[in-house]
Amino acid sequence: MKNILIVSDNHRLTEYFRSEFESQNINHVANAAYKYSSINKDPSAMKGLGATAIDMKNPSDVAYAKENFDLIFSLHCKQIFPADLVSSVTCINIHPGLNPHNRGWYPQVFSIINGMPAGATIHLMDEHIDHGAIFAQERVNISQADTSLDVYEKVIFAEKKLIKKYLIPIISGDLTAQRALPEGNYNSIKDFKNLCSLNMDSIGSLREHINLLRALSHGEFKNAYFLSEAGKKIFVRVVLEESSS
């Protein structure tokens, strides 16, 4: 029996992963434990799934993972796995981006802006972020009416398809990862925050401005903003609706 650890801060995908793990009878060949990252500010939903906290910056927690598990999945984990862990245990990332395009934070946001492909990737983890040999990918299309949230939901759906199709081959070792040759590009959380601070004197096409605003519109999240004369943030998000004809 293999011992598998799933570290996730996304309860929807964790619940789906667990349901597939059970429905495909993977629990006959492997044991699964579920954790969420210690920096998760609202882990209540993950706790409801029976998950407990783990800190990837804590040496004792990393040692626990190395000593007790044969395979570790990162499923939208908010913490970066340390190099010591990924070099000692097979670690696999289920990533909401189409590597190597827009590696890093919020891939769908940057895909809307820079036009690079969006999608989902399952890949081996190495010491670099969202980097390593690829098991499988699923591309999603971005329409002109899509906001960040719209694209994100498409990516979640694509990730579920990949989990359903490739979970058994990956766990059994029957699927070989292929090296991704181009390095692609990387976007940090700082890059995202810089986007959110709108420059009211920015010069560009209307297309560029709408793309920026829809890329930063994600449901009720307060992302894009500009400063009022009083120095207060005024948040902006757009609603796009495609006609039926």
Side-chain angles (χ1 to χ4, degrees):
M1 294 283 284
K2 286 186 177 180
N3 291 320
I4 299 174
L5 176 63
I6 299 92
V7 186
S8 176
D9 291 305
N10 186 301
H11 73 278
R12 291 169 57 195
L13 279 179
T14 303
E15 189 170 23
Y16 184 83
F17 187 104
R18 189 171 69 174
S19 70
E20 286 300 312
F21 194 89
E22 295 171 354
S23 66
Q24 296 190 40
N25 293 320
I26 301 173
N27 49 3
H28 288 171
V29 296
N31 298 310
Y34 296 87
K35 299 281 186 180
Y36 60 86
S37 72
S38 60
I39 63 172
N40 189 329
K41 294 181 180 179
D42 183 15
S44 56
M46 289 299 299
K47 287 181 178 180
L49 296 175
T52 55
I54 189 169
D55 185 356
M56 288 301 176
K57 290 187 176 181
N58 185 320
S60 63
D61 281 6
V62 173
Y64 158 80
K66 289 169 58 178
E67 293 166 6
N68 291 280
F69 297 98
D70 307 298
L71 181 62
I72 302 175
F73 283 90
S74 173
L75 190 61
H76 290 217
C77 175
K78 293 180 181 293
Q79 284 188 305
I80 297 171
F81 282 25
D84 179 42
L85 178 60
V86 299
S87 63
S88 302
V89 182
T90 299
C91 295
I92 295 172
N93 188 22
I94 300 178
H95 172 62
L98 198 73
N99 287 359
H101 310 289
N102 291 322
R103 294 167 31 238
W105 289 82
Y106 310 127
Q108 81 281 356
V109 169
F110 292 93
S111 286
I112 292 173
I113 293 171
N114 62 28
M116 292 183 181
T121 302
I122 300 180
H123 69 93
L124 279 173
M125 299 174 71
D126 58 23
E127 67 273 17
H128 304 292
I129 298 174
D130 301 329
H131 185 277
I134 294 172
F135 284 108
Q137 292 185 299
E138 179 86 11
R139 183 169 178 169
V140 303
N141 293 322
I142 300 176
S143 81
Q144 289 180 301
D146 284 341
T147 64
S148 168
L149 180 58
D150 296 322
V151 182
Y152 181 75
E153 291 297 335
K154 292 180 182 181
V155 171
I156 291 288
F157 183 75
E159 287 178 306
K160 289 180 178 180
K161 287 175 63 178
L162 293 178
I163 290 170
K164 176 181 282 292
K165 185 174 181 179
Y166 294 107
L167 194 55
I168 287 179
I170 288 174
I171 291 175
S172 64
D174 294 333
L175 186 64
T176 302
Q178 303 295 321
R179 182 185 174 194
L181 294 179
E183 288 297 305
N185 64 308
Y186 170 78
N187 302 299
S188 67
I189 187 63
K190 182 179 179 180
D191 293 325
F192 173 73
K193 289 181 178 180
N194 287 339
L195 288 178
C196 292
S197 179
L198 300 176
N199 178 2
M200 299 301 284
D201 296 317
S202 174
I203 297 174
S205 68
L206 185 57
R207 183 189 304 275
E208 290 171 331
H209 288 140
I210 289 177
N211 283 346
L212 174 61
L213 293 178
R214 69 189 181 100
L216 296 174
S217 296
H218 197 99
E220 298 301 314
F221 280 91
K222 295 180 178 179
N223 292 329
Y225 70 91
F226 62 92
L227 295 178
S228 71
E229 293 180 355
K232 293 186 177 181
K233 290 182 179 180
I234 299 177
F235 292 98
V236 181
R237 58 179 178 267
V238 297
V239 175
L240 303 171
E241 184 175 348
E242 191 172 11
S243 66
S244 58
S245 60

